[in-house]
């Protein structure tokens, strides 16, 4: 989620009225990578239960530490691009997807991250509070269906 926020805000722009404009615009290359991977091989998609708990350090430790040859580095880069894209897509989904249906979870979880208290357990707590009848598997399914429906 942390890296998803970072990539989400990379595309922040001001509109013609000088208001801050955020949304799907500016994320087409990341969303395209995620959508293509989902459509070809869902096994490399990071489950929400894991994705919500990854910190900035986790991203760096998983994909950018230790020596490797050029082929291994290319694979690490592709895997990291997918992970960053998926994290960004999740933020977009929670904030804008399904007509804003998950915006409350996004807002509350973002506040937890700002306090330094974000975790997969905290996300689960907030998801259950706002959507007690929806399990994480259903949310995962809606998220992946939303990504597949995009035309980046």
């Amino acid at each position: 989620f942390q890296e998803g926020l970072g990539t989400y805000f990379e595309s922040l722009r001001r509109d013609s009225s000088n208001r801050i404009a955020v949304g799907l615009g500016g994320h087409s290359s990341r969303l395209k990578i995620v959508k293509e991977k989902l459509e070809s091989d869902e096994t490399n998609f990071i489950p929400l239960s894991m994705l919500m708990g990854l910190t900035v350090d986790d991203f760096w430790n998983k994909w950018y530490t230790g020596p490797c040859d050029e082929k291994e580095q290319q694979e690490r880069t592709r895997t990291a691009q997918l992970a960053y894209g998926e994290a960004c897509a999740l933020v977009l989904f929670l904030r804008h997807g399904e007509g804003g249906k998950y915006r409350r979870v996004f807002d509350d979880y973002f506040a937890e991250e700002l306090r330094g208290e974000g975790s997969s357990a905290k996300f689960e707590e907030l998801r259950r509070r706002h959507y007690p009848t929806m399990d994480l598997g259903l949310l995962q399914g809606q998220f992946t269906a939303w990504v597949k429906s995009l035309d980046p």
Side-chain angles (χ1 to χ4, degrees):
F1 191 82
Q2 293 172 355
E3 291 300 272
L5 286 171
T7 55
Y8 174 76
F9 286 112
E10 283 176 0
S11 72
L12 184 125
R13 302 289 180 266
R14 296 227 177 239
D15 66 15
S16 60
S17 302
N18 205 30
R19 288 177 291 173
I20 293 176
V22 292
L24 296 178
H27 298 289
S28 60
S29 62
R30 280 195 177 95
L31 293 173
K32 184 178 180 186
I33 288 169
V34 175
K35 181 179 178 177
E36 287 173 354
K37 195 60 170 178
L38 259 177
E39 292 175 340
S40 68
D41 181 10
E42 275 192 46
T43 60
N44 288 326
F45 208 64
I46 303 168
L48 291 183
S49 59
M50 183 184 300
L51 186 63
M52 291 309 298
L54 290 175
T55 66
V56 174
D57 290 338
D58 293 332
F59 268 79
W60 281 96
N61 289 336
K62 187 163 180 71
W63 294 293
Y64 294 110
T65 57
C68 62
D69 62 24
E70 185 176 337
K71 184 177 179 181
E72 173 67 19
Q73 187 56 52
Q74 288 173 349
E75 182 58 30
R76 285 183 185 183
T77 299
R78 278 193 297 275
T79 304
Q81 285 174 333
L82 177 61
Y84 275 90
E86 187 179 339
C88 183
L90 177 61
V91 168
L92 289 163
F93 172 72
L94 293 175
R95 185 156 164 78
H96 303 284
E98 304 281 328
K101 179 179 179 178
Y102 301 108
R103 179 75 182 263
R104 292 184 312 170
V105 172
F106 172 87
D107 290 344
D108 288 356
Y109 190 74
F110 186 34
E112 295 295 332
E113 285 286 352
L114 290 172
R115 284 192 288 278
E117 298 175 8
S119 67
S120 53
K122 182 56 76 172
F123 180 78
E124 261 301 283
E125 175 188 321
L126 294 170
R127 184 200 49 78
R128 283 192 307 268
R129 180 184 313 151
H130 292 296
Y131 306 98
T133 61
M134 177 184 292
D135 68 13
L136 193 58
L138 181 58
L139 182 63
Q140 175 86 41
Q142 290 182 354
F143 170 50
T144 56
W146 179 80
V147 170
K148 288 177 180 180
S149 75
L150 297 174
D151 187 18

